Amino acid sequence: MYAPLAPSAPTAPLSPPHAPAPADAVTAAELLDFALRTAADPAVIDSLPLDPEGRTWIRLDGPGGSEAWVIGWPPGTGTGWHDHAASRGAFATARGRLREHSLAVRLPSEGWRGLELAADVDRSRSLGAGTGRAFGEHHVHEVLNESEAEHAVSVHAYYPPLPLIRRYSRTGQVLTLEQVERPADWQ
């Protein structure tokens, strides 16, 4: 599915040690249910200020101690390739349409800086208003508003609350770790 690029010096772990989630932890299906219900709530969606230039967001409390975000996407904006480390998650589109590109392979969680991906790991889906998707830990994806004229708005939920986000660049089939962000970087 992937092959590490040229050997490099050992690296420090990219994420803190993570204990297994308790049996009563919030599931990805529960996160998706929350995201869909919240995306259908006009009072919550209308509370998000929209900016014509950049993404905007507000933080919400999600179910069972999860964190959630309402995000506004101006035309032509996106996240770039990233993952949410050891958090499972879900998102639902409230307005407009989003495209998700993802990788159908679990990447190693630490000890690498670049990987060559197999040719058959790419997935793409379009999510219009009222639709969403759930995903597990270490899910690598990018989310885009490909519209040239319409804002999109979505609801995202994560459990456990995001310990970090790893950002990647991609050239062809080569995925390279570029940056690790901690909660202080986005909250």
Side-chain angles (χ1 to χ4, degrees), residues 10-88:
T11 59
L14 302 178
S15 59
H18 177 60
D24 62 346
V26 179
T27 67
E30 291 168 325
L31 294 171
L32 179 57
D33 178 63
F34 170 83
L36 288 166
R37 284 186 290 109
T38 305
D41 184 338
V44 173
I45 301 308
D46 291 343
S47 71
L48 177 69
L50 298 179
D51 181 320
E53 301 292 321
R55 289 191 305 148
T56 55
W57 55 86
I58 55 174
R59 189 179 190 286
L60 305 173
D61 291 327
S66 64
E67 77 177 285
W69 301 86
V70 179
I71 301 176
W73 306 77
T77 58
T79 61
W81 287 96
H82 68 282
D83 74 11
H84 305 102
S87 295
R88 65 186 68 93

Side-chain angles (χ1 to χ4, degrees), residues 30-181:
E30 291 168 325
L31 294 171
L32 179 57
D33 178 63
F34 170 83
L36 288 166
R37 284 186 290 109
T38 305
D41 184 338
V44 173
I45 301 308
D46 291 343
S47 71
L48 177 69
L50 298 179
D51 181 320
E53 301 292 321
R55 289 191 305 148
T56 55
W57 55 86
I58 55 174
R59 189 179 190 286
L60 305 173
D61 291 327
S66 64
E67 77 177 285
W69 301 86
V70 179
I71 301 176
W73 306 77
T77 58
T79 61
W81 287 96
H82 68 282
D83 74 11
H84 305 102
S87 295
R88 65 186 68 93
F91 69 96
T93 305
R95 292 191 184 139
R97 178 169 297 280
L98 295 173
R99 171 150 318 268
E100 180 198 37
H101 298 288
S102 63
L103 300 177
V105 61
R106 179 161 177 167
L107 301 177
S109 61
E110 58 185 57
W112 66 278
R113 293 287 180 216
L115 297 173
E116 184 169 347
L117 303 169
D120 62 350
V121 299
D122 288 292
R123 302 293 181 267
S124 183
R125 66 181 43 86
S126 179
L127 297 143
T131 63
R133 69 124 46 260
F135 51 86
E137 299 172 354
H138 306 288
H139 175 73
V140 178
H141 68 164
E142 69 174 344
V143 180
L144 310 159
N145 177 5
E146 296 177 321
S147 172
E148 294 180 13
E150 184 180 13
H151 244 89
V153 177
S154 57
V155 176
H156 303 246
Y158 307 99
Y159 185 86
L162 295 173
L164 56 87
I165 294 175
R166 291 181 292 229
R167 298 212 175 264
Y168 305 96
S169 62
R170 182 157 180 201
T171 304
Q173 293 305 110
V174 176
L175 187 71
T176 304
L177 175 67
E178 297 291 343
Q179 180 178 356
V180 177
E181 296 176 1

